[in-house]
Amino acid sequence: MTPATPPPAPLLIGCAAGFSGDRIDAAGPVVQELIRQQQPAVLIFETLAERTLALAQLARRSNPEAGFEPLMPEFLRPVLADCLQHGIRIVSNFGAANPPAAARAIQRLAQELGIRAPRIAVVHGDDLSATAHRPLLTAALAERMPAHELVSANAYIGAQPIAAALQAGAEIVVCGRVSDPSLVVGPVMAHYGWAWDDWDRLGRATMVGHLLECGTQVTGGYFADPGYKDVPGMDRLGYPIAEVDAEGHCTLFKPQGTGGCITTATVKEQLLYEIHDPAQYLTPDVVADISAAEVIAVGPDRVRLQGVQGHARPETLKVNVCYATGWFAEAEISYAGPRAAERARLAGQTIQQRLGHIAPLRTDLIGVTSVWGDDRSRWLEGADLQQASQDVRLRMAWQHADHAAALCLPREVNALYCCGPAGGGGVRTHMRQRLGLTSCYIAQQHIPTGFTWAAPLTTTELSHA
């Protein structure tokens, strides 16, 4: 008899970022732990959200070589050489609105570090903003189709192009708007070669991705609440690593010597994060079902998730459509000392009287009721300020379709320096373009996906700053 082929070694997947702007020193300990374990390993960076992608779309409009994760070089710089040397694949949605430009930036980083050029795959298919896709969007949105300028349309695509790229030999996979758990499903599928209708295993891999996608939320960061849910070493939180076995079950742990904790409580809290129906967590790859899942402590800072099931994937993909809606302006000024809150309120009332006829204004007294207030500032007239802070910051904000009109707010708040009330200072103003967002669902069959190889850079591109 021919001896049975042994199953592949369990796959390790480490997460080194849970959002755009995460800590740039996170990847180092994760990569060192992956190297120490001496198992097949993948490093993921999850840096994309709806707001992040909208900002990236605006950046790309201003600069055709922008629109990807701005911290990507800083995330990768400490670990790129080690990952390539030790065969640790990197998978991320760094690409945001411009995956090809992100790939070129990685190639320039490799040149700067004096290491060989990695083999980079660029996933495509999520961007539906081209004119050719307009009929699909119009049919799906109907009367909700934006009348304003369409800036972007991105589908939440699944893991298949990621898996295909890894199976073809990619060392780095750069994605745009993929579903967050798909960053893990793709590597797991490439490693084990499961069928794309193996729903239970797909469901398990999806929930591994769900546990990892927010970084330190599962190792105690977002969990921490002093005196109620204490977490040690908050200044050196470890980022999570999952060991995924041949059935898709996982054991979660963190790098040696790092802070934070992994307990059944932190895992359960993250497991339920953003879950509306535990039996139907819809993703492009599978409908995951955690209604019978088990979360089991198997050692210090080691927790196993098992019992996840899966059902056939949805026939449609979610698509987010962004469109131009004008400009957002905000301005702040501080008041301190006796009657600080009363002076701040008078300043807010003054601006309301001067500009309120143009567009609705939001007014907050930060330190008084800014968290519990509302966009119409209805608390402002009747709030009891007797017990208010002696150090208050007034914040006002609005949006307007016209740039010149929106600029009136920062100018008026800046004028409070001399126009009063007394003692205002520390003015800060900000203007940015505003995008509206609407969503729809489009059949997966109408959204083909795949990947292309990043071409070697030309001499001009290599020298591009």
Side-chain angles (χ1 to χ4, degrees):
M1 294 178 61
T2 302
T5 302
L11 178 66
L12 296 179
I13 303 180
C15 177
F19 66 101
S20 176
D22 208 342
R23 292 174 177 168
I24 61 173
D25 61 351
V30 175
V31 169
Q32 291 308 307
E33 184 67 34
L34 295 177
I35 294 171
R36 195 161 36 240
Q37 295 287 331
Q38 296 187 339
Q39 293 175 224
V42 174
L43 181 68
I44 69 165
F45 293 84
E46 201 291 284
T47 62
L48 200 57
E50 287 77 8
R51 175 179 178 273
T52 319
L53 184 54
L55 294 173
Q57 297 287 4
L58 292 176
R60 186 183 67 171
R61 297 178 87 197
S62 301
N63 177 0
E65 282 299 305
F68 56 87
E69 168 54 45
L71 282 179
M72 183 186 70
E74 303 309 312
F75 282 132
L76 289 179
R77 189 182 307 275
V79 299
L80 183 57
D82 282 340
C83 287
L84 293 178
Q85 180 182 348
H86 293 277
I88 299 171
R89 311 284 189 95
I90 297 172
V91 178
S92 179
N93 49 23
F94 278 146
N98 202 344
R104 290 189 287 273
I106 296 172
Q107 291 171 316
R108 288 192 292 272
L109 176 62
Q111 182 202 36
E112 176 189 331
L113 295 173
I115 60 178
R116 66 173 177 82
R119 196 174 194 205
I120 305 174
V122 179
V123 169
H124 60 80
D126 67 294
D127 190 346
L128 304 182
S129 57
T131 304
H133 299 296
R134 207 57 52 88
L136 281 175
L137 298 175
T138 301
L141 288 167
E143 70 278 359
R144 294 186 295 113
M145 185 68 182
H148 302 279
E149 178 190 3
L150 189 70
V151 174
S152 65
N154 293 87
Y156 286 75
I157 65 175
Q160 294 194 30
I162 299 174
L166 293 171
Q167 288 172 329
E171 295 172 299
I172 299 176
V173 181
V174 177
C175 307
R177 179 67 282 177
V178 298
S179 172
D180 296 345
S182 297
L183 296 173
V184 167
V185 176
V188 172
M189 294 297 288
H191 182 71
Y192 286 115
W194 300 330
W196 285 99
D197 59 357
D198 191 338
W199 304 122
D200 283 345
R201 287 191 177 98
L202 276 166
R204 293 164 194 159
T206 291
M207 297 318 296
V208 178
H210 182 70
L211 290 177
L212 293 179
E213 69 184 60
C214 294
T216 54
Q217 281 194 188
V218 78
T219 60
Y222 199 75
F223 176 85
D225 189 349
Y228 179 59
K229 297 186 295 183
D230 291 312
V231 174
M234 287 287 289
D235 61 315
R236 50 187 179 84
L237 285 174
Y239 283 61
I241 301 171
E243 182 180 72
V244 187
D245 67 23
E247 293 301 314
H249 305 301
C250 78
T251 299
L252 225 60
F253 62 102
K254 62 185 184 68
Q256 294 179 19
T258 60
C261 59
I262 293 182
T263 67
T264 56
T266 67
V267 171
K268 287 177 182 177
E269 191 167 291
Q270 178 60 24
L271 192 65
L272 295 173
Y273 173 71
E274 292 184 335
I275 298 291
H276 296 113
D277 182 348
Q280 296 188 81
Y281 179 48
L282 276 64
T283 78
D285 303 306
V286 67
V287 176
D289 180 351
I290 63 170
S291 58
E294 296 179 277
V295 177
I296 306 166
V298 294
D301 291 317
R302 295 184 71 90
V303 172
R304 180 174 172 81
L305 173 65
Q306 61 187 37
V308 175
Q309 298 173 306
H311 310 291
R313 70 179 61 90
E315 294 182 356
T316 58
L317 295 179
K318 180 181 177 181
V319 178
N320 281 346
V321 178
C322 291
Y323 52 95
T325 59
W327 294 87
F328 174 79
E330 61 181 333
E332 299 177 3
I333 185 170
S334 290
Y335 295 88
R339 296 171 303 284
E342 284 83 352
R343 284 181 282 129
R345 180 160 68 179
L346 176 58
Q349 290 170 337
T350 299
I351 302 299
Q352 285 277 3
Q353 289 165 357
R354 289 183 61 81
L355 299 181
H357 65 286
I358 299 176
L361 278 158
R362 169 155 182 161
T363 305
D364 294 301
L365 298 189
I366 300 173
V368 182
T369 56
S370 56
V371 173
W372 301 110
D374 61 52
D375 283 345
R376 297 191 180 187
S377 310
R378 286 174 290 191
W379 60 272
L380 193 60
E381 295 298 329
D384 181 5
L385 302 183
Q386 295 302 311
Q387 302 300 318
S389 168
Q390 294 300 290
D391 185 348
V392 175
R393 190 156 179 83
L394 170 69
R395 174 191 179 269
M396 303 192 77
W398 71 357
Q399 68 176 26
H400 199 284
D402 180 69
H403 182 274
L407 192 58
C408 292
L409 175 61
R411 288 175 175 169
E412 283 290 340
V413 171
N414 194 63
L416 294 174
Y417 268 126
C418 287
C419 294
V427 171
R428 185 185 70 179
T429 65
H430 181 62
M431 286 267 294
R432 67 174 183 265
Q433 192 172 2
R434 196 68 179 265
L435 296 180
L437 173 69
T438 188
S439 299
C440 61
Y441 295 91
I442 293 177
Q444 292 212 31
Q445 67 190 58
H446 296 317
I447 305 178
T449 63
F451 73 91
T452 56
W453 296 112
L457 295 183
T458 64
T459 303
T460 302
E461 288 173 326
L462 280 169
S463 62
H464 178 74

